[in-house]
Amino acid sequence: MEFQKREVKKKVPAGNDIEQKLLNWPDSFYRERDPLVRKSLLDAADQNNMTPEDNEFRRKLLKIRYPKIDNPSLDQTDLYLRAWMDLRFLATDGGGLFGRGLNPKKVMKVLSGMGYDLPADKREERLLYEELYHLGMLYIALCREDKTYNSLLLGLGTISETRQVNKIAAEFRNVGSNVMKKYHCTEEAALFSKAVHNAFADMFPDYAELLTIEDN
């Protein structure tokens, strides 16, 4: 007989917790990091007939961002975070000989995979903005919590807060605007740039000017 390993049980958010968070709907939806809790909040909002005109589009974006969201027992891959990494790669990619690979379609393909082409009106565009803003806030939180990201050379201590913010700002410039300038799609990607830059500025209001630095 083989050893039987127990599987990790996924935590299901308690009903009372969801009801409490629902008091601040929809702000609570955009402050929540856990995909399953976000879905539970959205389900509860639908059950209570709260902002039904917006929730249909929110659900579309949720399923794009977390493809396995309907299977809570599975790991929830965040495709928005993957898209962020793709944009970061494009920002540093040389584009091949004479820059012939700098086709704006490369950036727009990444954004399209985030549901960027879905909005049919200003209301849906605003909802997409909120989800992209959530990505920016989440990425900042992950950077601040990552010990490797914040460690000094050879892991001897951690970097200062100022150095940490400068490091995060440099990445937000690259992903939020430099890659768009490089691939000549600044106007087309303006909503994404606005959302992630505003996330940084709201998280670090004293350092918002770092987003305007021109990188060589």
Side-chain angles (χ1 to χ4, degrees), residues 7-173:
E7 295 183 357
V8 176
K9 294 181 179 180
K10 295 290 182 179
K11 293 183 179 179
V12 179
N16 289 341
D17 292 341
I18 294 300
E19 290 177 8
Q20 188 65 32
K21 289 177 181 289
L22 209 60
L23 295 175
N24 293 314
W25 177 265
D27 290 348
S28 55
F29 179 74
Y30 293 110
R31 288 201 300 264
E32 180 58 52
R33 292 169 52 164
D34 189 307
L36 296 178
V37 177
R38 299 190 78 203
K39 181 178 183 298
S40 294
L41 281 167
L42 185 56
D43 290 342
D46 279 341
Q47 292 168 8
N48 287 275
N49 198 35
M50 301 170 70
T51 63
E53 68 283 0
D54 293 339
N55 292 350
E56 183 178 356
F57 193 74
R58 286 191 178 106
R59 195 172 297 277
K60 286 182 181 179
L61 294 178
L62 204 70
K63 290 186 176 182
I64 288 174
R65 185 169 180 178
Y66 316 109
K68 301 176 182 178
I69 195 66
D70 291 325
N71 296 287
S73 62
L74 301 177
D75 290 333
Q76 299 300 316
T77 302
D78 186 342
L79 294 190
Y80 273 30
L81 286 175
R82 182 179 297 176
W84 182 283
M85 304 308 290
D86 289 340
L87 291 172
R88 188 169 74 171
F89 170 77
L90 289 174
T92 57
D93 183 26
L97 188 62
F98 304 117
R100 291 175 179 174
L102 301 179
N103 189 327
K105 291 182 178 179
K106 290 185 176 182
V107 172
M108 299 314 297
K109 182 179 179 180
V110 175
L111 296 182
S112 179
M114 303 170 77
Y116 203 75
D117 304 323
L118 288 183
D121 51 39
K122 290 294 183 180
R123 179 178 59 83
E124 292 184 349
E125 188 176 281
R126 173 181 57 81
L127 294 171
L128 174 62
Y129 167 89
E130 296 289 353
E131 197 66 25
L132 296 173
Y133 179 94
H134 180 277
L135 167 65
M137 296 294 281
L138 175 63
Y139 195 79
I140 290 171
L142 294 175
C143 287
R144 299 183 75 181
E145 295 167 4
D146 191 302
K147 292 182 179 180
T148 302
Y149 190 90
N150 295 290
S151 64
L152 293 169
L153 185 64
L154 301 178
L156 302 176
T158 57
I159 59 179
S160 66
E161 178 183 346
T162 300
R163 188 171 175 183
Q164 178 198 69
V165 176
N166 273 275
K167 186 176 181 180
I168 296 174
E171 187 161 353
F172 269 67
R173 289 196 302 272

Side-chain angles (χ1 to χ4, degrees), residues 169-214:
E171 187 161 353
F172 269 67
R173 289 196 302 272
N174 267 338
V175 173
S177 56
N178 289 351
V179 66
M180 286 74 184
K181 294 176 183 177
K182 183 176 181 178
Y183 285 81
H184 310 292
C185 56
T186 301
E187 184 176 349
E188 296 88 338
L191 184 69
F192 177 87
S193 299
K194 180 181 178 181
V196 298
H197 280 183
N198 283 350
F200 178 91
D202 288 346
M203 181 65 79
F204 305 113
D206 293 333
Y207 296 92
E209 73 281 356
L210 294 177
L211 295 175
T212 64
I213 295 176
E214 291 292 334

